[in-house]
Amino acid sequence: MRIPILKLKEYLLVSVQIELDDQTALQFQEDILNKIHEEGSRGVVIDLTSVDFIDSFIAKVLGDVVDMSNLMGAKVVLTGIQPAVAITLVDMGILMHGVPTALDLEQGLEKLQQELEG
Amino acid sequence: MRIPILKLKEYLLVSVQIELDDQTALQFQEDILNKIHEEGSRGVVIDLTSVDFIDSFIAKVLGDVVDMSNLMGAKVVLTGIQPAVAITLVDMGILMHGVPTALDLEQGLEKLQQELEG
C-alpha cells in the first residue's frame, strides 16, 4: 500500500493514515524523494495525526526522509505527533533532534513558509 | 481501504490515488460527510488526477457526494479529471452538470474560495 502525496503549489502534503510497517515506510521514503524531484518541491509537510505508534525503525526512516529531502533542497516539517507517540519516542531515547515539528497541517505549512523565507 | 482526508484550515483536501471500486467509493462518501460534520468544513476539494477510470456508478457516487455536501453546507470542487475520464463520462452521457470542476488542487482551492465569497 502506498501513502498518497498531494502537491499544493511548491509544497507536498502527506497525511499518514495507515499503519506504518517497515515496507510501507521504505516505499514512502522512495516515493516522497521521487516526488520532490519530479515536482521541484521546496517543502514537505508530513502529518502524523492518525499514527498511533512509531517504533525505532520507523523513527529512523522518518528522520532519514528529513535529511535526504534537505540534501535535495526541500525542507520537511513533521506535524501532529500524538502524545503517546512523543512519550514512546523519548522513552526509547529517540529525540529526533534537528527535525522541525508543528502541531498540525496548517501550522506545519506556516513553519515551512517561515523556514524558507528566513 | 480508505481514502485519506486532509484538513487544511476550513477546507478538506482529498486526493484519490487508489482504484475506486464500488465499496471504496461508498466508504469514501460516508467518510467525507462525517468529516465535514466533525470539522465543520466549508469546502472540499476532491482531486482525481490519479484516477484513470470512472464508471457510471462511481460518477453517480461522486455527484451524490457533491449534492449531499451542499445540503450540509459545504461546497465541493472536483479537480484533475483526466482527458480519458472526461471522454468516457461524456460518451456515457454523464455530464455532471452542476458539479464545479477545476484543473488541479490549487485551482480547486481558488475556485472554492471564490464560490464561498461570491
Side-chain angles (χ1 to χ4, degrees):
Chain A
M1 201 187 304
R2 290 174 117 109
I3 297 170
I5 300 169
L6 282 73
K7 176 180 171 288
L8 187 65
K9 293 176 195 159
E10 56 196 330
Y11 303 126
L12 298 178
L13 307 184
V14 185
S15 172
V16 181
Q17 301 190 352
I18 55 172
E19 206 189 329
L20 275 175
D21 58 45
D22 296 2
Q23 190 48 47
T24 309
L26 289 173
Q27 178 72 56
F28 168 65
Q29 188 179 76
E30 192 183 323
D31 286 348
I32 193 87
L33 297 177
N34 283 333
K35 193 86 174 173
I36 290 170
H37 181 67
E38 276 167 33
E39 306 286 358
S41 305
R42 295 180 63 211
V44 181
V45 181
I46 302 176
D47 186 54
L48 302 170
T49 305
S50 309
V51 174
D52 299 317
F53 178 74
I54 291 184
D55 63 15
S56 58
F57 181 79
I58 303 293
K60 183 176 183 317
V61 172
L62 287 173
D64 287 351
V65 166
V66 175
D67 291 336
M68 293 165 182
S69 305
N70 285 347
L71 276 176
M72 292 177 67
K75 288 262 173 207
V76 182
V77 177
L78 300 183
T79 64
I81 293 181
Q82 288 188 22
V85 173
I87 291 167
T88 314
L89 286 175
V90 172
D91 278 351
M92 289 193 297
I94 303 169
L95 302 181
M96 303 198 86
H97 283 310
V99 177
T101 53
L103 263 180
D104 56 23
L105 202 56
E106 292 99 84
Q107 295 191 25
L109 276 173
E110 270 173 37
K111 186 151 192 166
L112 214 48
Q113 228 142 9
Q114 283 164 8
E115 297 230 350
L116 289 173
E117 283 163 9
Chain B
M1 201 188 305
R2 290 175 116 108
I3 297 171
I5 300 169
L6 281 72
K7 176 181 172 286
L8 186 65
K9 294 175 194 158
E10 56 195 331
Y11 303 126
L12 298 178
L13 306 183
V14 185
S15 172
V16 181
Q17 302 191 351
I18 56 173
E19 207 190 327
L20 275 176
D21 58 45
D22 296 2
Q23 190 49 47
T24 309
L26 289 173
Q27 178 71 57
F28 168 64
Q29 188 178 75
E30 192 183 322
D31 287 348
I32 194 87
L33 297 177
N34 284 333
K35 192 86 174 175
I36 289 170
H37 180 68
E38 277 167 33
E39 306 286 359
S41 305
R42 296 180 62 211
V44 181
V45 181
I46 302 176
D47 186 54
L48 302 171
T49 306
S50 309
V51 174
D52 298 318
F53 178 74
I54 291 183
D55 63 16
S56 58
F57 181 80
I58 303 294
K60 183 176 183 318
V61 172
L62 288 174
D64 286 351
V65 166
V66 175
D67 290 337
M68 294 166 182
S69 305
N70 284 348
L71 277 175
M72 292 178 66
K75 289 259 173 211
V76 182
V77 176
L78 300 184
T79 64
I81 293 181
Q82 288 188 22
V85 173
I87 291 168
T88 314
L89 286 175
V90 172
D91 278 351
M92 289 192 297
I94 303 168
L95 301 182
M96 304 199 84
H97 283 310
V99 177
T101 53
L103 264 179
D104 57 23
L105 202 56
E106 292 99 86
Q107 294 191 24
L109 276 172
E110 269 172 37
K111 185 152 194 167
L112 213 48
Q113 227 142 10
Q114 283 164 7
E115 297 230 351
L116 289 173
E117 284 162 10

